[in-house]
Amino acid sequence: MPVTKRKPKDDEQSVTSDSKQPIKNVPALMGEGEKFFRDQLYDKAIQCYTEALELSPGNINALVERSTCYLKIGKNELALADAEESLKENKEFTKGLYQKAEALYAMGEFELALVFYHRGKKLRGDVREFQLGINKAQEAIDNCVGDPTSVKLEIKGDLSYFDRPDEKNKKKMNVGYQKPFAQKQQVVQKREKRVLKPGKQKTIKQLLGELYADKVYLENLLQDDHATRANTKSGDAIWNLANSGLDFLDSRTEFWRQQKPIYARKKSRQSYAPSKTPLTYVLNQLEVIDGLQTNGKHSESLDKSNKLMIYVNKLTDTQLTDRKSIVSNIYSNIGNAYLEMGKYELSLKNHQKDLDISTESDNKEGISRAYENLGRVYARNGKYNSAIDVWEKKLPLAESDMEKAWLHHEIGRCHLELGSYKVAEDFGNKSLDYSDKISDEVWKLNATILIAQSQAKIGDEENLTKAIENFEKAFEMTEKQNKEENKPEENKKEDEQVNDIENSEEKENKQDEDNTQQNQNSKVAEKRDGLGKSPDKGDSTNRSKNSSSSKDTSSDNLTLYRIEIRTADDMSSGTDAQVFMDVVGTNGNLSDIELKDPVNSESLFERDALNKFEIKLKDVGKVKKLAFITSGTGSGASWKLATVKLYDNEHVYLFTVNKWIDSKTEIQPDSEPTPKSELSEFTVTVVTSNKLGAGTDSNVFINIFGENGETGKLALDRREEKGKLFDKGNTDTFIVETKNVGDIKKINLSHDGKGIGAGWHIDRVEITNNNVTKKFPIDRWLDEDEGDGKTEIDLEPDVKPN
């Protein structure tokens, strides 16, 4: 009988992993530590971060995370030591500054904590945690020592000292010999009665907990005249130690008196009613909202933000000072939640409100924050020009070199997406300069990759050589960070580490990274495969969330898509709304592609109009389906889509739709796509008869059959041109690019019977392909009410080719 293995208890589980092999790489240990931290298993998290530091000594992120864990279990001195260690190489490391301030605050060093909160805010004014830290440290100081404005100086005591000459300069009188006892009397300890700190004993007991018994013991000890007898060595020592202990306990009491309203303990957090003042409650709620967003709970964050906004709007200006700053912060939180939920329009709306309020109140920190967030939304949505415009407005507001480093990098990435490779290289060099100033290895790596990719895209021999050199530098940087990895998986581990580093630096999502130019240079390609995949950053400028199945996100795989969209000819079929398109392919998806024409933006998608677009997008492979969405509301938002033709690098896809697009609508190709290599150009000439009423207002279609198959049903229109088609006596010519069917055997001509004058009398059709023209004489009606009542006809050529 097989022996059943006992399942280990929770406290017996391995810290490293549930897998058979122990985790030995830094990114995995960091991830495991983060998981334990979320589960409040702080000792296990500390063990993970300690192992990570053994593999990567001085890893600043591991030091900060371990410091946070130490704070959670009350080991404040260790937390401070880790925070200071993280600042050893870079005094402007903002995470380390914040953690040092938090540790000092926990130790009751409120003034020093305030200094470091201010220092962090000066470097990164957009990080709300520093302002919250300033508020709570200032409140703690005020509660401990009182508001300085309430102190009134009084003239009391003997002030004649200030009118006396400097007694230090006087010569001492020779008092002669003194007895030892007389000298001893001068050092008799002067004891003052201890002043009891204000506060109810019941409250003090709750705040101190088990330490309250020590406080009572020490107070009783001071009352024992025998144990603390004055002018005796043992008595004075006991008296001093007892007072020192009571001073410490008093400071602890004041500390926890501060902690209670700011960081409500778990038992108190069950109720979200205002605890002390409306401002304290609001700051607490903002902290809770930040925590939810950090943990990816964006829906909950949005719900709490909306509730907090309702609460804030009910308060008077007397109850809540600095209302505008708080309201703009809430709008910022709402905008960030919508961004992560993929609702870009709503995100933009709320971040714009943040900007408007901050501008009105001249809040430079709020303005900077709003510009940053607006840029993130635009970049995530693929609107790189708008992102550049907003981020360039933020540049003059950037104070720290760290902020300037990432900002120049992000603007450079947008230029790279837009094909402005030289400009992207310039911004990459600026980002590198600022990264060098602060000795930040992460942003040095990011900037170096951006420069290399820009040079590779420029593509001439000189720039390709530079690109190779920069990719080699990036390779060395990554290898240095990852030197402990197993060699067979070296490249894979490098990519993972870069992902972890960048994701820890920014919440928000960067744009899909470009790799080096394919087939230009084999050495460049080799470096690209190892390093060119710069990772996605939480909340920044890529479409990674919309292309989760993409196999390669490099801009070398960007495809020029040509799209022809025909709006139906029904009443009110046009739209004034913005139109967005999703593309679903075998190698990934693209979402929220705005279809716009910078020249004729006001005349798009009108009734019976054909609009053409050329958009450079990530290659998603073979297109499986499209989806269309309109952004407006009301009567002008509805849109009836007739047909779509989509060209990529290799194929052409035809979509017959004829549907109203009121909500997200998916469409699939009519048939298998036609390879471009099999495309051929047909010139179709249609001659309408000169008889009375021969013209038609209907939509006309043709299907060409040849020895190699058929083209499928093709619309004959020139909706981008003015003028009426198929009118009496008209000769209308159309250029049709479609599948090469070889020698033409027959055609099918039809119309849809729509319009006031639907009946149509045709004289003939001529088709030219590869300099060969075939004629199809007709001379008959296609009309439901005339002739045989047909609206379509099959025709064969009756003459030999020219």
Side-chain angles (χ1 to χ4, degrees):
M1 180 177 178
V3 178
T4 302
K5 292 185 178 180
R6 180 176 69 88
K7 184 178 180 180
K9 298 179 181 178
D10 290 341
D11 58 357
E12 294 177 338
Q13 292 176 355
S14 170
V15 172
T16 52
S17 170
D18 292 333
S19 60
K20 295 180 180 179
Q21 296 297 325
I23 297 171
K24 293 183 180 179
N25 61 77
V26 174
L29 284 167
M30 294 288 289
E32 194 77 4
E34 183 180 353
K35 178 180 180 298
F36 284 131
F37 183 86
R38 289 197 302 268
D39 295 339
Q40 299 181 7
L41 301 173
Y42 302 121
D43 288 330
K44 293 184 178 181
I46 289 170
Q47 187 175 341
C48 286
Y49 295 132
T50 302
E51 291 181 21
L53 286 165
E54 290 173 356
L55 294 174
S56 176
N59 186 308
I60 55 177
N61 290 312
L63 286 167
V64 166
E65 298 301 332
R66 190 171 70 173
S67 174
T68 307
C69 293
Y70 280 137
L71 274 184
K72 290 291 184 181
I73 61 176
K75 296 184 177 180
N76 302 328
E77 291 80 5
L78 293 176
L80 179 61
D82 274 355
E84 290 178 334
E85 182 69 20
S86 72
L87 293 166
K88 185 175 291 185
E89 298 296 330
N90 178 13
K91 300 299 182 184
E92 294 186 352
F93 178 45
T94 52
K95 289 185 177 180
L97 285 172
Y98 178 75
Q99 199 55 41
K100 183 173 181 178
E102 288 284 276
L104 288 168
Y105 183 87
M107 296 170 70
E109 300 287 349
F110 304 129
E111 293 87 352
L112 277 176
L114 184 61
V115 169
F116 285 96
Y117 285 130
H118 272 294
R119 189 173 297 176
K121 184 184 175 184
K122 184 177 180 181
L123 292 170
R124 287 296 302 272
D126 56 316
V127 178
R128 186 182 301 108
E129 284 79 0
F130 287 118
Q131 183 59 55
L132 293 173
I134 291 169
N135 293 342
K136 70 182 182 184
Q138 189 62 59
E139 184 181 2
I141 293 168
D142 291 343
N143 286 347
C144 283
V145 302
D147 187 349
T149 60
S150 64
V151 178
K152 190 173 183 180
L153 297 177
E154 297 179 359
I155 302 177
K156 289 184 178 180
D158 181 11
L159 304 182
S160 60
Y161 171 81
F162 297 101
D163 294 327
R164 297 172 188 168
D166 190 354
E167 296 184 2
K168 292 181 181 179
N169 296 328
K170 289 183 180 180
K171 294 183 179 179
K172 291 184 179 181
M173 295 177 63
N174 186 5
V175 295
Y177 174 80
Q178 291 181 327
K179 295 181 180 180
F181 179 75
Q183 292 184 4
K184 199 168 186 178
Q185 283 182 326
Q186 294 177 5
V187 295
V188 170
Q189 188 178 41
K190 186 179 180 180
R191 297 182 178 181
E192 295 180 0
K193 187 175 181 181
R194 183 174 183 80
V195 179
L196 295 177
K197 294 290 183 180
K200 295 181 179 180
Q201 291 302 310
K202 183 177 179 181
T203 303
I204 295 173
K205 186 175 182 180
Q206 290 176 339
L207 291 171
L208 285 177
E210 295 178 356
L211 293 177
Y212 182 73
D214 298 327
K215 181 176 187 297
V216 173
Y217 173 79
L218 292 175
E219 287 176 344
N220 291 333
L221 184 61
L222 286 180
Q223 303 301 320
D224 188 340
D225 293 335
H226 177 74
T228 59
R229 187 170 52 183
N231 302 324
T232 64
K233 186 174 181 180
S234 61
D236 290 343
I238 293 172
W239 192 89
N240 286 328
L241 288 172
N243 272 286
S244 177
L246 285 170
D247 288 340
F248 171 78
L249 292 174
D250 286 341
S251 70
R252 289 295 86 191
T253 303
E254 289 304 318
F255 170 69
W256 287 116
R257 204 188 299 275
Q258 305 313 311
Q259 287 287 81
K260 198 65 177 176
I262 299 297
Y263 287 115
R265 299 176 187 178
K266 291 182 180 178
K267 292 181 181 178
S268 302
R269 284 192 177 182
Q270 294 173 358
S271 171
Y272 286 112
S275 55
K276 186 175 181 182
T277 65
L279 176 60
T280 302
Y281 171 69
V282 169
L283 293 176
N284 182 42
Q285 288 300 287
L286 286 171
E287 205 167 352
V288 171
I289 290 166
D290 276 346
L292 290 171
Q293 290 189 350
T294 301
N295 293 325
K297 298 179 180 179
H298 306 297
S299 180
E300 292 181 40
S301 162
L302 178 62
D303 182 57
K304 281 197 176 293
S305 297
N306 286 325
K307 289 179 180 178
L308 184 60
M309 182 69 81
I310 293 171
Y311 171 74
V312 167
N313 288 334
K314 291 180 180 178
L315 299 175
T316 64
D317 290 340
T318 305
Q319 291 175 302
L320 187 66
T321 57
D322 200 16
R323 172 191 294 275
K324 289 184 178 180
S325 176
I326 289 171
V327 170
S328 63
N329 265 289
I330 298 173
Y331 276 126
S332 177
N333 278 327
I334 294 173
N336 287 333
Y338 277 130
L339 172 61
E340 298 305 326
M341 294 165 71
K343 298 180 179 180
Y344 301 124
E345 291 298 323
L346 291 171
S347 180
L348 283 173
K349 181 179 177 181
N350 282 279
H351 286 310
Q352 186 62 48
K353 288 180 179 178
D354 178 20
L355 178 61
D356 293 342
I357 295 172
S358 299
T359 303
E360 181 184 348
S361 56
D362 195 26
N363 180 0
K364 289 184 171 55
E365 295 173 9
I367 294 170
S368 179
R369 175 188 64 231
Y371 280 147
E372 176 183 343
N373 289 327
L374 285 168
R376 289 174 55 227
V377 179
Y378 283 128
R380 179 81 67 85
N381 200 14
K383 300 177 181 179
Y384 302 116
N385 282 319
S386 298
I388 291 170
D389 292 341
V390 171
W391 276 334
E392 285 184 341
K393 291 178 182 177
K394 177 180 169 65
L395 267 176
L397 302 175
E399 296 182 355
S400 68
D401 290 335
M402 169 70 78
E403 197 172 8
K404 292 174 184 177
W406 72 256
L407 195 52
H408 281 88
H409 176 271
E410 295 310 293
I411 296 173
R413 292 229 50 80
C414 288
H415 280 295
L416 189 65
E417 290 286 343
L418 293 170
S420 303
Y421 305 129
K422 181 59 181 172
V423 179
E425 182 188 8
D426 292 340
F427 274 95
N429 282 316
K430 290 177 182 177
S431 176
L432 184 59
D433 290 342
Y434 287 114
S435 301
D436 282 334
K437 286 182 181 180
I438 56 177
S439 301
D440 191 294
E441 298 301 322
V442 173
W443 285 105
K444 282 183 186 178
L445 175 62
N446 293 339
T448 304
I449 291 176
L450 174 59
I451 294 168
Q453 290 169 338
S454 303
Q455 291 167 340
K457 293 299 292 183
I458 294 172
D460 57 46
E461 185 176 351
E462 180 183 356
N463 278 287
L464 283 173
T465 303
K466 292 179 180 178
I468 292 171
E469 293 174 355
N470 281 304
F471 274 122
E472 286 174 344
K473 289 180 184 177
F475 182 86
E476 291 171 1
M477 292 180 194
T478 310
E479 191 177 46
K480 183 179 179 181
Q481 298 176 25
N482 211 29
K483 60 184 177 181
E484 299 297 329
E485 299 297 326
N486 293 329
K487 198 166 185 177
E489 298 182 352
E490 192 169 68
N491 289 339
K492 178 181 176 183
K493 299 300 183 183
E494 285 163 4
D495 287 340
E496 288 177 356
Q497 185 165 358
V498 176
N499 269 308
D500 285 336
I501 293 172
E502 292 198 355
N503 283 330
S504 69
E505 285 294 321
E506 295 292 337
K507 296 180 188 176
E508 272 51 180
N509 25 27
K510 308 294 181 187
Q511 65 256 41
D512 295 327
E513 288 285 3
D514 293 331
N515 292 329
T516 53
Q517 189 170 355
Q518 292 183 354
N519 302 321
Q520 285 280 357
N521 184 294
S522 60
K523 190 169 184 181
V524 175
E526 179 181 354
K527 297 300 177 187
R528 181 200 67 222
D529 293 338
L531 291 168
K533 300 176 183 176
S534 182
D536 167 34
K537 292 184 181 180
D539 49 224
S540 182
T541 56
N542 63 15
R543 283 190 297 268
S544 62
K545 289 184 181 293
N546 300 324
S547 51
S548 58
S549 59
S550 175
K551 294 180 180 178
D552 190 348
T553 59
S554 70
S555 67
D556 283 330
N557 288 311
L558 290 180
T559 295
L560 181 64
Y561 288 91
R562 290 194 295 123
I563 308 159
E564 297 179 4
I565 297 177
R566 185 164 70 87
T567 300
D569 193 21
D570 295 8
M571 184 70 70
S572 302
S573 59
T575 183
D576 297 326
Q578 287 179 291
V579 175
F580 297 88
M581 181 179 72
D582 294 352
V583 182
V584 178
T586 55
N587 293 339
N589 309 329
L590 298 173
S591 295
D592 297 324
I593 304 161
E594 185 177 5
L595 299 174
K596 59 182 180 180
D597 186 339
V599 179
N600 299 313
S601 58
E602 297 181 357
S603 59
L604 292 177
F605 311 115
E606 293 184 351
R607 175 182 175 181
D608 199 27
L610 180 68
N611 298 115
K612 298 181 179 181
F613 306 90
E614 290 189 354
I615 308 175
K616 203 171 184 182
L617 300 169
K618 188 190 68 176
D619 186 1
V620 297
K622 186 177 179 181
V623 176
K624 297 164 64 178
K625 61 183 177 182
L626 303 178
F628 288 90
I629 312 101
T630 56
S631 66
T633 58
S635 58
S638 295
W639 174 45
K640 188 169 184 181
L641 175 59
T643 60
V644 178
K645 185 183 289 187
L646 176 70
Y647 297 83
D648 62 17
N649 284 340
E650 299 179 356
H651 300 93
V652 58
Y653 304 81
L654 301 176
F655 302 82
T656 302
V657 189
N658 289 321
K659 292 181 181 178
W660 287 95
I661 311 296
D662 290 317
S663 58
K664 186 172 182 178
T665 303
E666 295 183 347
I667 60 175
Q668 294 182 338
D670 296 344
S671 59
E672 284 295 311
T674 303
K676 277 190 174 181
S677 60
E678 298 178 10
L679 290 179
S680 186
E681 189 177 272
F682 294 83
T683 302
V684 180
T685 303
V686 180
V687 181
T688 301
S689 302
N690 206 22
K691 292 185 177 184
L692 182 64
T696 183
D697 295 326
S698 299
N699 295 310
V700 176
F701 304 92
I702 191 170
N703 190 357
I704 304 172
F705 296 83
E707 59 185 353
N708 298 326
E710 61 181 286
T711 62
K713 197 173 184 178
L714 307 172
L716 296 178
D717 61 34
R718 295 194 306 272
R719 297 301 196 258
E720 73 275 20
E721 299 178 12
K722 294 182 178 180
K724 187 168 176 59
L725 298 176
F726 311 116
D727 208 357
K728 173 187 173 182
N730 266 17
T731 298
D732 297 298
T733 302
F734 308 88
I735 306 298
V736 179
E737 187 180 40
T738 186
K739 179 181 178 181
N740 186 354
V741 295
D743 186 35
I744 299 172
K745 300 300 182 182
K746 71 171 184 177
I747 64 171
N748 175 276
L749 190 68
S750 63
H751 67 81
D752 58 10
K754 295 183 178 180
I756 298 175
W760 183 32
H761 194 282
I762 314 138
D763 182 73
R764 68 184 183 275
V765 174
E766 296 181 0
I767 300 178
T768 302
N769 175 241
N770 293 328
N771 296 321
V772 176
T773 300
K774 289 197 174 184
K775 298 181 179 180
F776 301 82
I778 305 177
D779 192 22
R780 60 160 294 165
W781 286 95
L782 287 182
D783 192 348
E784 292 179 345
D785 301 323
E786 296 283 348
D788 55 11
K790 292 182 178 180
T791 57
E792 67 175 288
I793 186 173
D794 290 332
L795 300 168
E796 296 181 358
D798 67 343
V799 294
K800 295 180 179 181
N802 293 337

